[in-house]
Amino acid sequence: MNNIIQRLIIVCIGTIVAGFGVQFIVAANLGSDSVSTLILGLLQHTSIPFGRWSQLLSLIFLLSTFVYKREILGIGSIINTLLFGEAISFLANFIQFETGRSFGLNFSYLIAGFTLMALGTAIYLRADLGAGPVEGIMFCLCDKLKFSLKYSRIAIDFTIVFIGFILGGSLGVGTLFAIFALGPMIAAFIHILERINAKFLLPLQTTEE
């Protein structure tokens, strides 16, 4: 029971960290991660808030994964779906785009955002309580097309960004980070956490094991 509680806490921490990362990326206004680009495109046509769109899209991704590979879902998947949007909405009360902010500071926000997003995703996956919405699609693609984790993420991010752009979402240097760097960053953080786990003999297992 204590191990389950520990893993649930890790799911929450990872989800919150990743959600905070997304808001830093959006606040930088230099091009967003893939899902944020899609949401920003959707916002051109609806009045649904950003955080709520995040939850709705997460639910759609979860349902898609449930149809194809439901065994990789779990209680963590539900927590991630509900908590991720709330974390974004919470930080939006304190950090938003400001027209007077320098490019250098915005770029720092961008780098911090992607780092937090990748780290939070890796932390979340360490709990092994079910894949997150986008990660579920990523693992399905790995299984279906025999892609590696990082190349599956690149393919998914490219597709989502393309749809977001068609809907009116803006592109920028952050979009390139989303397509080509986020997958490798997540894989790198997973590897780092695995090495930490091996060194300190932590009781948690990874989804990859």
Side-chain angles (χ1 to χ4, degrees):
M1 179 61 71
N2 289 336
N3 184 259
I4 291 296
I5 293 175
Q6 180 187 14
R7 292 161 71 186
L8 286 171
I9 292 173
I10 289 175
V11 165
C12 293
I13 291 174
T15 298
I16 291 171
V17 170
F20 282 3
V22 167
Q23 185 54 33
F24 269 104
I25 294 168
V26 172
N29 196 36
L30 293 175
S32 301
D33 65 279
S34 57
V35 176
S36 295
T37 300
L38 175 56
I39 294 174
L40 291 173
L42 290 167
L43 289 178
Q44 306 299 315
H45 309 279
T46 71
S47 59
I48 299 174
F50 189 101
R52 196 64 62 220
W53 261 123
S54 176
Q55 292 173 326
L56 289 173
L57 289 175
S58 293
L59 180 59
I60 292 172
F61 292 151
L62 276 188
L63 290 175
S64 300
T65 303
F66 181 80
V67 170
Y68 179 76
K69 199 175 177 67
R70 67 187 66 182
E71 66 270 14
I72 67 174
L73 300 178
I75 183 63
S77 307
I78 299 174
I79 293 173
N80 183 277
T81 297
L82 299 176
L83 188 57
F84 193 76
E86 296 302 323
I88 295 172
S89 298
F90 174 80
L91 193 62
N93 294 319
F94 307 97
I95 297 178
Q96 294 186 359
F97 173 68
E98 298 175 8
T99 55
R101 189 186 295 141
S102 69
F103 174 83
L105 186 55
N106 279 329
F107 190 74
S108 297
Y109 273 42
L110 185 73
I111 297 300
F114 275 107
T115 301
L116 288 173
M117 188 177 179
L119 175 60
T121 301
I123 291 173
Y124 164 84
L125 291 174
R126 286 296 301 170
D128 196 24
L129 288 179
V134 177
E135 289 68 44
I137 299 294
M138 178 177 66
F139 287 127
C140 286
L141 196 60
C142 287
D143 184 61
K144 184 71 173 179
L145 301 180
K146 307 305 179 184
F147 284 1
S148 68
L149 185 150
K150 66 179 180 181
Y151 289 121
S152 293
R153 184 66 190 235
I154 288 173
I156 291 167
D157 285 331
F158 179 83
T159 302
I160 295 174
V161 163
F162 179 76
I163 296 172
F165 175 71
I166 294 299
L167 290 173
S170 59
L171 305 181
V173 63
T175 314
L176 296 178
F177 267 87
I179 296 173
F180 298 108
L182 186 58
M185 287 174 70
I186 292 172
F189 275 121
I190 288 176
H191 179 67
I192 291 170
L193 292 176
E194 285 176 346
R195 294 189 64 178
I196 292 174
N197 181 72
K199 182 175 181 179
F200 295 100
L201 299 177
L202 299 178
L204 297 179
Q205 301 297 316
T206 69
T207 307
E208 301 288 297
E209 293 176 345

